[in-house]
Amino acid sequence: TVGALAVRAAVAPPRADPEPATWFSVVMPRTQCTLGRRRGVPLPRAPSLRGATPSGPIDIATVSASSRSSATNGRIELIRCAGDVDAETTNGHIRAELDEVTPGKSLRLETTNGGITVSVPRAVAARVDASTTNGSVKTDLPITTTEFKRTSLRGTINGGGSADLRLRTTNGSIHIEAR
């Protein structure tokens, strides 16, 4: 459905595909979202993007906007993204490759059963709050720490800035990579 300010679509899987339908909504400029298995839907580049699926992966690429992703049984991948990012899944890993971390915006990645890998530019200035129950936390970037244990890391990258990176998993490891 196309309205004056929004695009809303439901993608129903073919009958042979066991995945339930995946939904997303976009509020307007042009990008590519892949929903479920091998489904690509060109959308306007968006100041706001929301996607959810009860089963199956969510792949979002080249979005410089506010994005919200939620899956129950599936991984989430965010490639070449920027802006305010919020992604959560119950059973699956999360991978986020950020072109930039926008000052004043937050990045929240949470999963229960899966690891988290986030790739950020070396020059990022952000506060970091990362923790896992059954796993470890590793970083490629120098972080001025307020807390550092095998299962948690809190501190700042490049002086902190106004961006927040909040990373949580119960059963999995967290890796902060430098781009």
Side-chain angles (χ1 to χ4, degrees):
T1 311
V2 179
L5 297 176
V7 175
R8 182 173 291 268
V11 178
R15 293 200 188 277
D17 189 341
E19 284 184 44
T22 300
W23 69 266
F24 64 93
S25 64
V26 173
V27 182
M28 307 323 240
R30 186 134 179 107
T31 191
Q32 175 81 21
C33 290
T34 303
L35 304 169
R37 288 189 224 146
R38 296 176 298 278
R39 286 191 216 45
V41 179
L43 299 171
R45 188 173 303 283
S48 176
L49 176 105
R50 288 177 296 219
T53 181
S55 183
I58 295 176
D59 296 311
I60 298 174
T62 320
V63 173
S64 295
S66 175
S67 68
R68 304 281 176 263
S69 305
S70 177
T72 303
N73 293 305
R75 65 167 168 72
I76 298 174
E77 292 201 9
L78 308 159
I79 307 300
R80 295 179 314 280
C81 291
D84 184 18
V85 176
D86 188 331
E88 64 180 304
T89 184
T90 303
N91 298 306
H93 73 270
I94 299 174
R95 174 157 178 73
E97 178 187 301
L98 303 177
D99 284 343
E100 68 178 276
V101 175
T102 309
K105 300 295 182 180
S106 64
L107 169 78
R108 184 182 75 89
L109 307 176
E110 294 189 16
T111 182
T112 303
N113 297 306
I116 298 173
T117 302
V118 61
S119 177
V120 297
R122 289 187 184 281
V124 68
R127 294 180 296 265
V128 176
D129 182 358
S131 68
T132 179
T133 303
N134 299 305
S136 61
V137 179
K138 297 177 186 173
T139 180
D140 295 345
L141 294 165
I143 295 182
T144 303
T145 59
T146 56
E147 177 183 327
F148 183 53
K149 301 176 188 172
R150 185 181 73 79
T151 60
S152 64
L153 172 65
R154 288 177 182 74
T156 60
I157 303 170
N158 294 323
S162 60
D164 289 313
L165 304 179
R166 181 178 162 87
L167 314 170
R168 294 280 188 277
T169 183
T170 302
N171 298 307
S173 292
I174 298 171
H175 189 189
I176 302 169
E177 298 177 337
R179 289 181 27 108

